[in-house]
Amino acid sequence: MFSASQCSRAQFLDRARQAREERRELKERERAAVQLQALVRRFLCRCRLHRDIRREVEDFFGTNECGSSKRSALSVFRIARKLLFVFNPKEDKERFEKLCRCILNSMDVENEPKVWYVSLALSKDLTLLWIKQIKDILWFCCEFLKQLKPDILQDSRLVNLHLTMLVTFTDTSTWKILRGKGETLRPAMNHICANIMGHLNQKGFYSVLQILLTNGLARSRPSLSKGSLTAIFSLALRPVIAAQFSDNLLRSFLIHIMSVPAIMTHLATLTPERLAVIESHDLFRKFILFLSREEQCRDVCVCLEGSHTLCLLGNLVFLGSLNDQVLEEETAHFVGVLIHMLSYCQKYVSQKKSNLTHWHPVLGWFSQTVDYGLNESMPLLTKQLQHLWGVHMIRILFSDVLSKKLLENQEIAQLPAQPVSPQNSLPMKNLFKRAFQKSASVRNILKPVGGKRVDSAEVQKVCSICVLYQTTLTTLTQIRLQILTGLTYLDDLLPKLWAFICELGPQGGLKLFLECLNNDTEESKRLLAMLMLFCDCSRHLITILDDIEVYEEQISFKLEELVTISSFLNSFVFKMIWDGIVENARGETLELFHSVHGWLMVLYERDCRRRFAPDEHWLRKDLKPSVLFQELDKDKKRAQLLLQYIPHVIPHKNRVLLFRNMVTKEKEKLGLVETSSASPHVTHITIRRSRMLEDGYEQLRQLSQNAMKGVIRVKFVNDLGVDEAGIDQDGVFKEFLEEIIKKVFDPALNLFKTTSGDERLYPSPTSYIHENYLQLFEFVGKMLGKAVYEGIVVDVPFASFFLSQLLGHHHSVFYSSVDELPSLDSEFYKNLTSIKRYDGDISDLGLTLSYDEDVMGQLVCHELVPGGKTIPVTNENKISYIHLMAHFRMHTQIKSQTAALIGGFRSIIKPEWIRMFSAPELQRLISGDNAEIDLEDLKKHTVYYGGFHGSHRVIIWLWDILANDFSPEERAMFLKFVTSCSRPPLLGFAYLKPPFSIRCVEVSDDQDTGDTLGSVLRGFFTIRKKEPGGRLPTSSTCFNLLKLPNYSKKSILREKLRYAISMNTGFELS
């Protein structure tokens, strides 16, 4: 009973709670329904109101267009107020355009004050409302301008409309209400305009103009019309002028307007009147003075980042080129601003691609965000920047240097031009002796004189300008060559800069700059920047000048000056290395070293090709080779760097000794030298004389690198298949090597060709007709390398350009194919350089970027660039044509052959071993010394057999005939007769292996069985079996052996020896 009552009570309470919740939910639903209905009604009401207002606006403008009557300013104001109340940029775009046109039309009506929209500014009740309305309208114009594309015709019309609105209501000059009696109102109206402009500036007016200008100008062809560009620039200038060029407005103008790509160029092209406005307000000077404050300049650069900073720089440079007076008066500030801006960009210039870098057409890899939308305008920006290294601006900036007069003596002009003769054998000694005797009176710049204080204003100014151009070179990496070409255009700038450098400091020249290296002051850095700029520019100049321009015309530098400069550079680089500066060099110091060293090596290589410096000019007298060798043995860094960078300061003979030591050390390391405890591994090969090249190729090409460097013994088989007599103790291998080299380098085989003129060897372009020709070239390279490795001199004269490739010089950035072309074909070189000097229109000659060649009776056209046979040679691309042609003839045509030969050569001879030699020196290493034969040295190292001795009368006659009766050419023929090479060994006859020997013979070679006791005694006592007058001297070149009959008269010996060497008798194997 009790439990039942409890249960019914709980149910009653549940039902009551449910009822309450249902009532609450019902009330919530009713409230929500009411709220939704209110919202919907409000929305529908608003939509209806908006529709009504828009319809009213359309009716208003529709009636207005029909021209039934002129609308009053008040009616326009009211309809504008209604439109702005419901304004939506997407829906009301056309209505807004009509409103703008209506307002502008009202301003054009004559003598109708009530129609002029601006008249409402005079109404006490409406002034504030009108100002707010016009501010809103003008800002909506700005918003539309941001979205419009001037290159689209419809958009360009709207751009003009909105710009006209902005121009009209930010300046009172077109307001008809202020004419006549209304002039008294102008100050108040100007105040209103300033208020409007201030409001727009706060909202971001300059950003709008920047976007519009970038859309219209950042392209190859501008899409903004003259009127639009004039309007935009006028609008941009108004706030600056109104604020009397305050810092804030100048900053905004620089950041937003002057950073638009090439805007100054477009102004000069489309609306030059605007440039006149800039000049009238002296804006360029104001810009420079504003940016000359470091914190302001940094602020502007940080706001712009790299791409736009460069655009600002281009516009400033362009303005500078138009304002000579300001540039001359504000040179220091102008240079300082450009240095600061370039330095800011330089911080983000990277040497290589990475995940953090972006590609920029002018700066290269850049570690800041790059605006790729500016890429189309980069050619115009580059043209602006070119003014910086154009002749006009260089003359202004370097006026202090260029105003110097170089003292000249007429005598130097009367010196004969350097004669053209075989390379490296110019008889210049007397000429240079005379030149140096007169050097003091020829030019005052030949010798550093000193005397100019480095802290003087003039020196500081020149240093700053050099820092500017050096910073330009290291920042604008992709147009570096353009910059260098511009800086070298004036023939007298570099000589006068050198004269300026020579006058610095108390003593001038070297000492001052070496002191700067040890001083980490700002002044020292600026002086070193001057030296670096001089080196970079001079190196570029000498690289692009051909031999005629350097030696005969002597453009920019006289030969005597090059001698002086090279001496300075040689000493400077030597001191930097020897004093340990290079070992720890980083950043700017390392760049300086590479700059000075690059210029030095260009001069040295030019001198190696064709001498301009005196004998021993490149050597360092204060460097003892013994000290250097000791330091190399101890692995001292400075000695290694010296050998790496400037080996030419060491006498050639010592370098050859060093080379031989390197080879000997490697032989010892590889176990190729006979010792008391071990013998080297010997490779035996059998060679048929009739198939010497084929057998040698087949047997040697399979050998490993170390086996090729080791001992190789040769056994010859004659035509009958019988082994030839004789034991190979290096002599037979020497003959085999000489014969192989003689065969492969024979032009008849067509592996190699000879140059026209001096008949020097280089790989034949048509050698591909041989089967496995690349393997053959690799084999030739190995044989040549083996000869050099063993110190066997072979008479193989290579073309200079090919030797440069063997040394790897053609990979250098300073290498010029045109300079090496005379060593291939001097006539072809003359024809190419005549194109360079051709004054008329090159296109009249009908040349294309291709090369036609007769290949085995067929005319083959080689394109120098893809599609080259359809690209005509013009005055603009003729220099490229010359370089492409030279590169094709010397590299492209024989690229694979050269690579194969070099690969074979380097498998025996390490590249670093021969890097210490120049091209002529490498030729001497291969073929022996080109100096006259030292008979005393040969006599001293001669071995006698068969009864001959040093006091034997036949031997005395022989040496006397060689010394007094034979010409130098005949002595060379004699040496070739007995050793197979007409040149003596580089280190003298002590290094001739086997040593030169003379043997007395009684019978012919085919009956000769060697020395016997009887033959030796007869030879010693001059006892003859019979008179040998009918027999000729013979030789065994493999043993460097002269076999000489025991002649009875000196005249017979002279006659027979002369006949034998001229007929090339001998070469038999004994």
Side-chain angles (χ1 to χ4, degrees), residues 330-616:
E330 303 293 346
T331 298
H333 288 132
F334 177 72
V335 169
V337 167
L338 296 196
I339 290 173
H340 195 97
M341 294 172 75
L342 285 166
S343 300
Y344 174 80
C345 293
Q346 191 186 49
K347 288 190 297 184
Y348 301 98
V349 172
S350 180
Q351 296 302 315
K352 57 186 178 181
K353 180 182 180 181
S354 73
N355 293 332
L356 301 174
T357 58
H358 308 270
W359 179 253
H360 190 281
V362 175
L363 300 166
W365 291 113
F366 198 66
S367 57
Q368 275 190 333
T369 305
V370 171
D371 186 347
Y372 292 106
L374 303 181
N375 281 5
E376 266 194 80
S377 60
M378 283 302 119
L380 279 174
L381 170 61
T382 306
K383 279 188 178 179
Q384 282 189 320
L385 292 170
Q386 283 170 355
H387 288 285
L388 183 57
W389 48 88
V391 172
H392 183 68
M393 197 167 287
I394 285 175
R395 286 195 188 281
I396 293 173
L397 297 182
F398 278 111
S399 57
D400 291 346
V401 173
L402 291 169
S403 62
K404 292 179 70 66
K405 289 195 175 177
L406 302 178
L407 302 178
E408 291 196 16
N409 192 324
Q410 294 305 313
E411 293 178 51
I412 192 66
Q414 295 165 11
L415 285 176
Q418 187 171 341
V420 178
S421 55
Q423 292 176 357
N424 307 306
S425 59
L426 296 174
M428 293 297 293
K429 193 170 181 181
N430 293 333
L431 176 60
F432 276 113
K433 191 173 179 183
R434 293 200 308 274
F436 280 109
Q437 285 170 349
K438 297 175 181 178
S439 63
S441 61
V442 172
R443 269 198 178 177
N444 64 344
I445 65 173
L446 286 180
K447 212 157 92 174
V449 292
K452 189 168 285 188
R453 290 177 62 88
V454 293
D455 57 355
S456 67
E458 180 192 3
V459 173
Q460 290 302 308
K461 178 184 174 185
V462 174
C463 283
S464 294
I465 294 162
C466 290
V467 169
L468 166 62
Y469 284 110
Q470 195 56 44
T471 312
T472 307
L473 285 170
T474 51
T475 306
L476 312 181
T477 57
Q478 299 310 297
I479 52 174
R480 180 182 170 87
L481 289 180
Q482 280 187 37
I483 301 165
L484 287 169
T485 303
L487 289 169
T488 55
Y489 187 81
L490 286 176
D491 289 343
D492 58 343
L493 176 61
L494 292 176
K496 288 180 177 179
L497 188 58
W498 171 244
F500 191 83
I501 288 170
C502 287
E503 292 176 358
L504 297 177
Q507 295 172 330
L510 186 64
K511 188 177 179 183
L512 171 71
F513 289 101
L514 288 173
E515 287 172 357
C516 288
L517 285 172
N518 298 314
N519 297 333
D520 194 25
T521 62
E522 196 60 36
E523 186 180 87
S524 297
K525 288 179 182 178
R526 289 153 74 88
L527 284 167
L528 291 173
M530 181 196 297
L531 176 63
M532 195 169 167
L533 181 73
F534 171 73
C535 290
D536 285 343
C537 293
S538 303
R539 177 183 62 203
H540 178 74
L541 175 67
I542 294 297
T543 303
I544 60 177
L545 294 180
D546 57 45
D547 282 358
I548 296 170
E549 292 165 325
V550 173
Y551 291 92
E552 273 100 53
E553 297 174 6
Q554 297 188 26
I555 289 175
S556 283
F557 293 109
K558 304 239 179 242
L559 291 179
E560 313 88 84
E561 291 172 320
L562 293 181
V563 172
T564 311
I565 291 168
S566 59
S567 177
F568 167 84
L569 298 173
N570 210 33
S571 300
F572 188 80
V573 173
F574 173 75
K575 291 285 186 186
M576 280 192 81
I577 294 173
W578 206 244
D579 293 348
I581 296 170
V582 177
E583 289 178 44
N584 307 308
R586 297 285 182 279
E588 291 175 353
T589 306
L590 195 59
E591 286 177 14
L592 170 70
F593 172 76
H594 288 308
S595 179
V596 179
H597 175 259
W599 174 210
L600 171 67
M601 294 314 294
V602 164
L603 287 175
Y604 175 68
E605 285 165 20
R606 178 79 74 161
D607 183 62
C608 289
R609 282 200 309 273
R610 182 172 169 183
R611 293 288 299 275
F612 64 79
D615 294 336
E616 301 187 353

Side-chain angles (χ1 to χ4, degrees), residues 207-340:
S207 297
V208 172
L209 296 183
Q210 182 183 19
I211 292 168
L212 182 59
L213 283 168
T214 305
N215 288 340
L217 302 180
R219 51 185 61 243
S220 51
R221 293 182 64 183
S223 56
L224 285 175
S225 64
K226 175 180 178 178
S228 298
L229 186 56
T230 304
I232 296 168
F233 202 75
S234 299
L235 285 169
L237 273 178
R238 281 177 183 176
V240 181
I241 297 169
Q244 297 183 332
F245 310 99
S246 69
D247 284 357
N248 281 341
L249 268 301
L250 278 175
R251 176 183 179 277
S252 295
F253 192 87
L254 286 166
I255 290 173
H256 296 290
I257 307 302
M258 290 297 289
S259 67
V260 173
I263 185 172
M264 292 298 122
T265 302
H266 291 302
L267 284 176
T269 308
L270 295 174
T271 171
E273 303 84 14
R274 294 300 96 194
L275 288 179
V277 173
I278 291 175
E279 191 173 346
S280 66
H281 290 291
D282 205 11
L283 267 180
F284 175 59
R285 190 194 306 271
K286 291 180 172 67
F287 292 153
I288 294 303
L289 293 176
F290 173 79
L291 292 169
S292 64
R293 286 172 278 170
E294 192 174 331
E295 67 281 358
Q296 304 280 23
C297 192
R298 190 188 304 113
D299 171 48
V300 168
C301 290
V302 170
C303 287
L304 289 175
E305 295 193 334
S307 299
H308 292 276
T309 300
L310 199 62
C311 296
L312 171 58
L313 186 79
N315 286 316
L316 289 175
V317 168
F318 184 79
L319 272 183
S321 68
L322 302 176
N323 291 270
D324 291 359
Q325 185 181 347
V326 178
L327 198 59
E328 288 167 9
E329 293 170 2
E330 303 293 346
T331 298
H333 288 132
F334 177 72
V335 169
V337 167
L338 296 196
I339 290 173
H340 195 97

Side-chain angles (χ1 to χ4, degrees), residues 854-995:
D854 185 357
V855 180
M856 292 179 285
Q858 286 190 334
L859 192 66
V860 177
C861 177
H862 303 282
E863 292 189 328
L864 304 179
V865 295
K869 61 184 178 184
T870 61
I871 303 173
V873 177
T874 63
N875 288 343
E876 287 71 34
N877 66 8
K878 67 180 180 181
I879 299 298
S880 296
Y881 169 73
I882 292 166
H883 283 271
L884 286 168
M885 185 69 86
H887 187 268
F888 176 80
R889 287 290 307 274
M890 293 189 295
H891 298 274
T892 310
Q893 266 194 317
I894 56 172
K895 185 178 180 180
S896 54
Q897 294 95 320
T898 303
L901 188 143
I902 290 173
F905 184 79
R906 289 183 177 175
S907 69
I908 309 295
I909 302 294
K910 292 181 180 178
E912 57 268 26
W913 289 354
I914 57 169
R915 206 169 281 145
M916 54 184 167
F917 300 109
S918 64
E921 289 169 342
L922 179 60
Q923 181 67 67
R924 289 166 68 188
L925 194 67
I926 294 168
S927 301
D929 209 334
N930 54 5
E932 200 167 316
I933 296 165
D934 186 346
L935 288 175
E936 288 303 316
D937 184 44
L938 179 59
K939 191 191 299 185
K940 184 178 173 183
H941 296 98
T942 300
V943 182
Y944 302 101
Y945 297 104
F948 278 160
H949 51 85
S951 301
H952 196 288
R953 66 174 189 176
V954 174
I955 299 301
I956 292 171
W957 290 344
L958 174 68
W959 294 121
D960 187 58
I961 289 167
L962 289 172
N964 299 316
D965 295 345
F966 276 19
S967 65
E969 290 76 20
E970 287 177 315
R971 285 193 285 274
M973 289 166 64
F974 169 77
L975 191 62
K976 187 176 178 70
F977 177 71
V978 293
T979 67
S980 79
C981 185
S982 60
R983 297 180 179 187
L986 275 178
L987 299 174
F989 289 100
Y991 288 82
L992 183 66
K993 292 180 182 179

Side-chain angles (χ1 to χ4, degrees), residues 22-82:
E22 285 174 2
R23 287 194 299 275
R24 189 169 65 248
E25 285 177 9
L26 184 62
K27 284 182 180 177
E28 278 293 319
R29 281 199 297 272
E30 287 177 354
R31 190 184 65 78
V34 170
Q35 194 170 2
L36 280 172
Q37 288 173 359
L39 285 171
V40 169
R41 279 198 300 271
R42 186 166 67 188
F43 173 74
L44 293 172
C45 183
R46 194 164 59 245
C47 287
R48 194 162 48 250
L49 176 64
H50 286 189
R51 268 199 314 273
D52 293 343
I53 290 175
R54 287 192 172 100
R55 194 178 296 115
E56 185 182 348
V57 170
E58 285 174 0
D59 291 343
F60 177 84
F61 291 126
T63 309
N64 199 34
E65 282 174 6
C66 295
S68 58
S69 63
K70 293 176 182 176
R71 300 293 181 183
S72 68
L74 187 59
S75 63
V76 174
F77 171 77
R78 286 172 179 162
I79 206 70
R81 197 173 180 190
K82 289 180 180 180

Side-chain angles (χ1 to χ4, degrees), residues 609-675:
R609 282 200 309 273
R610 182 172 169 183
R611 293 288 299 275
F612 64 79
D615 294 336
E616 301 187 353
H617 169 73
W618 302 99
L619 302 180
R620 290 291 304 179
K621 299 291 196 288
D622 53 346
L623 176 65
K624 292 183 178 178
S626 57
V627 174
L628 178 70
F629 293 168
Q630 286 171 14
E631 294 207 3
L632 283 170
D633 290 337
K634 295 174 185 175
D635 290 331
K636 288 285 185 71
K637 186 69 175 174
R638 70 174 186 174
Q640 293 170 346
L641 288 171
L642 192 77
L643 205 60
Q644 178 186 345
Y645 286 109
I646 48 169
H648 59 256
V649 301
I650 311 162
H652 179 243
K653 185 176 179 180
N654 295 102
R655 277 181 279 145
V656 177
L657 272 171
L658 188 60
F659 171 76
R660 300 278 16 132
N661 289 342
M662 288 173 175
V663 173
T664 304
K665 282 181 182 177
E666 186 182 81
K667 284 185 173 182
E668 290 171 354
K669 186 179 177 183
L670 297 174
L672 303 177
V673 179
E674 185 89 40
T675 63

